[in-house]
Amino acid sequence: MKDLEKHALRFATKAHEGQLRKYTGEPYINHPIAVAAIVATVDHTPEMIAAAYLHDTVEDCGITLAEINERFGRKVATLVAYLSDISTPYHGNRVARKALDLQHTALAPSEAKTIKLADLIDNTKTISTLDPGFWQVYKVEKKNLLAVLKDGDPVLWEQAAAQCE
């Protein structure tokens, strides 16, 4: 593991300390670790792995993009920015917020789209089996995301799409 990746894993582990996964109760850091492991199975860079570890820190931990930029560089911060939702409750109901976030994701570089595909793959594993009711909502949102994630890794895109069948 390269230094950038190790630093990102340590930082994300500390940022997510005490957080638990909604459906499994396991330490939350297991999700970013799983996302990074999925990204590592396809063509990737150290910055992509670092961003995979850090992808939920802005949304869930109160970490700023400026801090990510300062600690990990502009490339990682840019990827994390594209992986972070931009909507807030001010933007309306879930449908309106997800539409705004979808537009943001559509503009992402292919590296961020690859990480987002890995995120979807890992999230689907728990949501589809442990919350069948929400899965119906999430599946529609995921299909909408898949339409704008075609520039991501094709192997991961196929895996993510297969989960919706």
Side-chain angles (χ1 to χ4, degrees):
M1 183 181 289
K2 295 175 177 59
D3 287 343
L4 177 67
E5 297 169 22
K6 286 180 189 174
H7 180 45
L9 175 57
R10 282 192 303 271
F11 184 88
T13 299
K14 184 173 182 190
H16 288 293
E17 190 172 21
Q19 294 179 348
L20 303 175
R21 290 283 284 169
K22 180 178 180 179
Y23 298 109
T24 64
E26 67 185 312
Y28 192 87
I29 191 62
N30 292 358
H31 169 63
I33 289 171
V35 172
I38 293 167
V39 172
T41 67
V42 297
D43 190 29
H44 65 279
T45 64
E47 290 82 8
M48 290 170 67
I49 299 297
Y53 287 134
L54 300 166
H55 80 274
D56 281 335
T57 59
V58 172
E59 285 180 26
D60 298 343
C61 304
I63 304 298
T64 66
L65 287 171
E67 186 173 1
I68 299 290
N69 184 55
E70 181 181 313
R71 290 176 180 263
F72 302 99
R74 184 181 58 80
K75 179 67 174 176
V76 173
T78 298
L79 293 172
V80 173
Y82 278 111
L83 294 164
S84 301
D85 289 342
I86 60 168
S87 67
T88 67
Y90 171 80
H91 292 105
N93 65 20
R94 184 177 178 93
V95 172
R97 293 190 315 270
K98 290 301 175 182
L100 182 61
D101 294 331
L102 181 68
Q103 292 172 354
H104 175 66
T105 302
L107 300 173
S110 62
E111 298 92 345
K113 290 179 179 183
T114 294
I115 300 164
K116 185 65 175 178
L117 287 165
D119 183 36
L120 291 174
I121 290 166
D122 189 60
N123 280 332
T124 297
K125 291 175 185 175
T126 53
I127 294 171
S128 64
T129 56
L130 299 177
D131 192 346
F134 181 62
W135 168 239
Q136 297 310 311
V137 173
Y138 186 78
K139 182 166 48 170
V140 171
E141 294 170 355
K142 182 175 177 176
K143 286 180 179 180
N144 291 338
L145 275 166
L146 286 170
V148 302
L149 294 175
K150 295 250 183 196
D151 295 340
D153 182 83
V155 171
L156 296 186
W157 192 94
E158 288 294 333
Q159 287 177 20
Q163 290 176 314
C164 292
E165 294 173 0

